[in-house]
Amino acid sequence: MASLRFYTVEMSSTTPCLCPCPSSPISLSLSSRRSHLFLNTTNKRLDSSRNCRTLRISCSSSSTVTDQTQQSSFNDAEMKLIDALIGIQGRGKSASPKQLNDVESAVKVLEGLEGIPNPTDSELIEGRWQLMFTTRPGTASPIQRTFTGVDVFTVFQDVYLKTTNNDPRVSNIVKFSDFIGELKVEAVASIKDGKRVLFRFDRAAFDIKFLPFKVPYPVPFRLLGDEAKGWLDTTYLSPSGNLRISRGNKGTTFVLQKETVPRQKLLATISQDKGVAEAIDEFLAKNSNSAEDDDGYELLEGSWQMIWSSQMFTDSWLENAANGLMGRQIIEKDGRIKFEVNILPAFRFSMKGRFLKSGDSTYELKMNDSAIIGGPFGYPLELTNILDLQILYTDEKMRISRGFDNIIFVHIREM
């Protein structure tokens, strides 16, 4: 079955920024290694060290994914689709044109392959499916427009065509959290042919944990007539029964999974912001990789957006930005790197430097060119910093690293 090779990625750079220099620039510096921020004009030191959560993490020597479930559940073409989904936020709501094109291309490849024939007749279609991606045309249903683009919610589809006693149903479920509850919208279903299921929504309710009763969903399905009806084609059902592609009567494409791969599970945990440190620890224990030669990891070029860190931000955004605690990192093959943070719609902080490999999985970052950028102009800052970076895990879409003050970072590659 499919095996994955993971590649090394790391920090960033873009072209040098040349800015008109005001007569009296701000003078700031950061000391070596420990990275304490100094304001030279006041001689007041802002100590940037903070208490942070500790993760017991180590790198193993395996060069492929060690999670057996991931290797056995999905074939190569299916993994291409799953890889295309990594890093897309809002289940497609915030996808870039390139991301949408990559997903659609992978979907078309799978639809052209032989999955389970006549999927509606297969028991593999039965059960709970998690919605991973959907296109969002203007004709999408209210529940789709309202909830599917919010990552903190989990969206499921229950399909029971034969295993319920004379009551075949398709239900859409939005799970708000384990503590709050869920919204369930149900439809009576019938099989038209080997691919198509007909449905008619007939009931819905909010099931709130702290209420002793269900709250009706405010949609009068009986009065909607044909608007409450639709159909759903399953255009691909994986032989393992863990991945499904469906297209609806309103032109929407859905990608659903019964089983998710470790990266998806980790990113879902980060979106919900609960138990992230433990999830990273578990992920690294099962899915660590190492360099393919004695030279260790190489850094991939690109723009990497930070989506989580084990350190809460300090009061000083400048300190956070200079230590890589926020924003994005851009790297180039020639060893250049840049930290970039959007401050306001028209202003951003930029800090440039170079990286040098200092060990099998570690890099030294020397940052020495900083400015506040506003349009074509910039206000230079005399700001320098030296940081150590250790790569704990990396592939072409996601990176986990340990940086300033032993803080753990998760970055997603922007496409």
Side-chain angles (χ1 to χ4, degrees):
M1 301 300 290
S3 63
L4 294 179
R5 295 171 66 85
F6 292 99
Y7 303 89
T8 311
V9 332
E10 243 317 310
M11 311 215 16
S12 69
S13 129
T14 58
T15 56
C17 171
L18 301 177
C19 308
C21 181
S23 59
S24 176
I26 297 174
S27 180
L28 300 170
S29 67
L30 292 176
S31 67
S32 65
R33 305 295 175 181
R34 294 291 301 168
S35 285
H36 297 299
L37 184 63
F38 288 86
L39 303 180
N40 289 348
T41 56
T42 63
N43 292 323
K44 179 180 179 182
R45 188 177 77 174
L46 301 179
D47 191 341
S48 66
S49 59
R50 298 288 188 274
N51 292 330
C52 63
R53 289 172 282 177
T54 301
L55 301 181
R56 279 171 269 173
I57 298 171
S58 60
C59 297
S60 78
S61 59
S62 171
S63 61
T64 59
V65 175
T66 58
D67 185 89
Q68 295 301 314
T69 300
Q70 180 171 343
Q71 293 190 28
S72 62
S73 295
F74 303 98
N75 60 38
D76 289 341
E78 292 165 358
M79 280 307 305
K80 280 190 174 295
L81 173 57
I82 291 173
D83 283 343
L85 297 177
I86 297 295
I88 294 180
Q89 297 181 342
R91 299 179 186 87
K93 179 180 180 180
S94 303
S96 67
K98 183 181 186 308
Q99 288 174 321
L100 290 174
N101 182 69
D102 289 346
V103 171
E104 186 62 27
S105 296
V107 164
K108 289 181 177 179
V109 168
L110 287 173
E111 289 178 330
L113 298 178
E114 183 178 354
I116 295 295
N118 299 319
T120 59
D121 295 330
S122 172
E123 63 180 14
L124 293 177
I125 202 173
E126 304 271 316
R128 171 158 289 194
W129 295 85
Q130 182 174 346
L131 179 66
M132 309 305 297
F133 174 88
T134 176
T135 55
R136 298 174 60 84
T139 56
S141 65
I143 187 173
Q144 184 183 345
R145 291 195 302 267
T146 304
F147 296 113
T148 57
V150 183
D151 283 326
V152 71
F153 302 150
T154 308
V155 182
F156 298 101
Q157 185 176 79
D158 286 350
V159 179
Y160 294 104
L161 303 176
K162 297 180 179 180
T163 55
T164 52
N165 295 328
N166 299 320
D167 187 23
R169 287 191 167 269
V170 174
S171 302
N172 296 330
I173 298 101
V174 179
K175 186 175 181 180
F176 304 114
S177 75
D178 291 334
F179 302 102
I180 297 177
E182 65 183 28
L183 165 65
K184 186 175 185 179
V185 182
E186 300 184 57
V188 177
S190 62
I191 298 174
K192 181 179 181 181
D193 55 38
K195 288 189 174 183
R196 179 164 295 184
V197 172
L198 305 177
F199 62 85
R200 176 177 56 83
F201 290 112
D202 65 343
R203 63 192 185 205
F206 292 91
D207 187 359
I208 307 301
K209 295 291 186 180
F210 50 83
L211 294 178
F213 54 85
K214 294 184 179 181
V215 180
Y217 186 61
V219 176
F221 293 116
R222 292 182 180 180
L223 301 180
L224 293 179
D226 289 343
E227 288 297 316
K229 299 178 181 179
W231 50 260
L232 191 66
D233 285 348
T234 296
T235 56
Y236 180 81
L237 178 61
S238 67
S240 66
N242 285 320
L243 187 144
R244 173 166 64 97
I245 300 170
S246 292
R247 295 183 184 266
N249 57 292
K250 293 185 177 180
T252 309
T253 301
F254 304 93
V255 178
L256 307 101
Q257 293 175 233
K258 280 186 180 176
E259 185 178 280
T260 55
V261 300
R263 283 181 297 170
Q264 291 174 309
K265 294 177 183 177
L266 176 58
L267 293 175
T269 301
I270 291 173
S271 296
Q272 296 169 7
D273 197 25
K274 292 171 59 177
V276 179
E278 295 78 8
I280 291 176
D281 202 1
E282 180 181 356
F283 176 87
L284 290 175
K286 294 180 178 179
N287 299 278
S288 55
N289 60 342
S290 67
E292 298 178 6
D293 52 45
D294 294 337
D295 294 332
Y297 291 107
E298 297 299 326
L299 304 184
L300 291 183
E301 62 181 307
S303 177
W304 295 83
Q305 177 68 44
M306 193 195 77
I307 62 172
W308 185 86
S309 75
S310 60
Q311 168 68 57
M312 297 298 292
F313 294 157
T314 65
D315 292 335
S316 168
W317 70 264
L318 184 60
E319 182 182 359
N320 296 326
N323 288 321
L325 301 182
M326 57 196 303
R328 63 176 53 85
Q329 300 167 356
I330 306 167
I331 61 173
E332 294 184 359
K333 288 183 177 179
D334 61 0
R336 289 181 294 163
I337 172 176
K338 179 169 75 169
F339 296 166
E340 189 173 82
V341 180
N342 292 327
I343 307 170
L344 296 171
F347 295 90
R348 69 184 186 275
F349 168 82
S350 173
M351 188 174 193
K352 301 175 183 178
R354 303 191 71 86
F355 63 84
L356 180 66
K357 195 163 192 177
S358 57
D360 288 345
S361 299
T362 58
Y363 291 81
E364 182 182 74
L365 314 180
K366 294 183 177 181
M367 314 299 294
N368 54 17
D369 182 4
S370 306
I372 303 295
I373 310 296
F377 302 101
Y379 193 87
L381 309 173
E382 293 185 6
L383 180 67
T384 61
N385 201 357
I386 298 178
L387 300 169
D388 288 325
L389 178 73
Q390 180 186 9
I391 305 172
L392 303 175
Y393 170 88
T394 186
D395 57 42
E396 292 186 336
K397 291 292 188 73
M398 185 179 79
R399 182 184 78 215
I400 303 173
S401 59
R402 190 197 310 273
F404 163 76
D405 210 17
N406 242 10
I407 297 171
I408 304 300
F409 300 91
V410 180
H411 287 80
I412 290 293
R413 193 179 192 184
E414 296 178 317
M415 306 300 289

